[in-house]
Amino acid sequence: MTTLPRTASGERAAALLPQLTAWRRHLHANPELGFHEHQTSAYIAAELAKFPHLIVTRPSETSVLAVLKGGKPGQTVLLRADIDALPITEENSFEFVSQNKGVMHACGHDGHTSMLLGVAKLLSESPEEVNGEIRMIFQHAEEIGPGGAEELVQNTSLMDGVDVVTGLHLASQLPTGVVAVKPGAFMAAPDSFQITIRGKGGHAAHPEQAIDPIAIGAQVVTNLQHIVSRNVSAIDNLVVSVTYFQAGTTHNVIPDTAELMGTVRSFDPELRARAPGLLERVIKGVAEAHGATYTFQYDMGYRPLINTDWVANKLMDIAKAEVGENAQLAQPSMGGEDFSAYLTKAPGAYFNVGSGNELLESDYPHHHPRFTLDEESLVTGVRMLHAAALELGKPS
Ligand SMILES: [Zn+2]
Ligand SMILES: [Zn+2]
């Protein structure tokens, strides 16, 4: 058991635990998918309306913005929480299990929302201690491209005048209480692709009269793996995963087509730009060698999330002050995050707060039907975001 440093943010956050838990459980029981967070955003706005000094607006149909003008001059700081859930059927059995069948908070966004409500409450209780302006955005649709962040950045004035932005993701793979921060490349660009191999169907007993898209598709899958191992330097980070292969209807018919889908993950913009060409060269070569044709579609996902060094370093200092030796250097992740959209407009950094606890079985991976949170992690998140708002708001 590590003893945490005693700080004002820490003590105020700890006292909020029952309220944070109540918010999180309400949200967990009532999940909504991205772009459909109508009840969720109404609930957030109603809770924010209970706090003094906040200006609460709705920048888009299902997002909520709370602004607190501090009593002292300083920077404009944006804090972000995402609020959407996933199309997953929950397999947990606790009393606040999802009431919206087939939809589940399986990524921890219920926790993120609860934490930002907590920060709004703490900041609104003593605006005189706040520098500058703190904007708190409860962002819709992180899980569905093109993402809520992009919409807010492109279509609203949310980022106008913002000096620095931060936010966090809970991480079930890290123990509760850990805060992990990393300067530079933190999360990958999650691109996706679809391939159709078009052969010639026929009788399974006479493959010589057919062009078998299954055999060709299998070779495409194998050869795509060579891109990472043989076309890209081991120093660069690239992932190519084929995640879907669909063909055929029965045992004695060679089908006409095979459908494949997958994902490509990268950090480096140049490597990312090269990836579609590298994939297509393989697909074209294999298909043509066997007399098949193909269609290939490549979709760019969110930008890679590259933390601004000075912001990440400052967050690391805050983490050391708040959680002592639980402050860690984060590992980069091949997962994607639309937080990267905010970083096109202002410097900033995203970080992780551990929520994994074996005893509470809160160490299932994110997006798993049994994913859940150790609610103690909410306190860590609030103390970090509250301290960050106060620190980053100070005049530069
Ligand atoms: Zn997720
Ligand atoms: Zn998430």
Side-chain angles (χ1 to χ4, degrees), residues 52-230:
H53 307 297
L54 295 179
I55 304 159
V56 180
T57 55
R58 307 292 296 267
S60 74
E61 211 178 314
T62 56
S63 62
V64 186
L65 173 66
V67 177
L68 182 100
K69 298 211 192 278
K72 299 182 281 187
Q75 307 286 302
T76 297
V77 181
L78 179 72
L79 307 178
R80 176 271 211 167
D82 41 11
I83 67 172
D84 59 322
L86 286 155
I88 293 174
T89 300
E90 181 157 16
E91 289 176 12
N92 288 314
S93 54
F94 38 64
E95 75 222 18
F96 53 95
V97 75
S98 169
Q99 300 301 304
N100 185 2
K101 207 171 162 24
V103 182
M104 178 188 173
H105 270 296
C107 200
H109 300 186
D110 49 344
H112 303 169
T113 306
S114 163
M115 287 186 273
L116 196 55
L117 283 170
V119 174
K121 184 173 193 314
L122 295 188
L123 292 174
S124 70
E125 283 168 0
S126 36
E128 70 286 349
E129 70 177 12
V130 177
N131 282 98
E133 178 178 316
I134 313 296
R135 296 183 194 171
M136 289 158 277
I137 182 68
F138 296 83
Q139 179 214 306
H140 60 304
E142 190 283 326
E143 299 282 6
I144 304 182
E150 186 71 15
E151 186 184 345
L152 294 171
V153 167
Q154 293 299 330
N155 301 346
T156 76
S157 55
L158 175 68
M159 292 305 291
D160 292 359
V162 169
D163 294 302
V164 58
V165 49
T166 189
L168 67 83
H169 208 298
L170 290 165
S172 66
Q173 73 276 16
L174 296 174
T176 299
V178 163
V179 175
V181 190
K182 183 188 175 300
F186 185 40
M187 296 182 77
D191 299 335
S192 60
F193 61 86
Q194 288 187 42
I195 305 163
T196 303
I197 306 287
R198 214 168 285 284
K200 195 172 123 203
H203 199 295
H206 303 286
E208 76 283 1
Q209 295 167 13
I211 297 172
D212 183 350
I214 296 179
I216 298 165
Q219 286 206 23
V220 168
V221 174
T222 317
N223 281 283
L224 285 177
Q225 302 313 311
H226 287 239
I227 292 176
V228 172
S229 67
R230 288 295 169 265

Side-chain angles (χ1 to χ4, degrees), residues 307-365:
N307 282 334
T308 310
D309 288 354
W310 73 260
V311 185
N313 291 335
K314 204 160 217 178
L315 287 170
M316 182 58 102
D317 291 343
I318 295 167
K320 284 177 183 158
E322 291 299 327
V323 300
E325 59 199 43
N326 278 342
Q328 291 182 1
L329 183 67
Q331 295 293 320
S333 154
M334 296 316 279
E337 221 332 308
D338 79 345
F339 184 86
S340 53
Y342 301 110
L343 299 180
T344 62
K345 298 287 178 188
Y350 198 60
F351 61 99
N352 284 142
V353 168
S355 61
N357 182 340
E358 230 176 285
L359 299 174
L360 297 173
E361 296 192 341
S362 69
D363 52 354
Y364 281 95

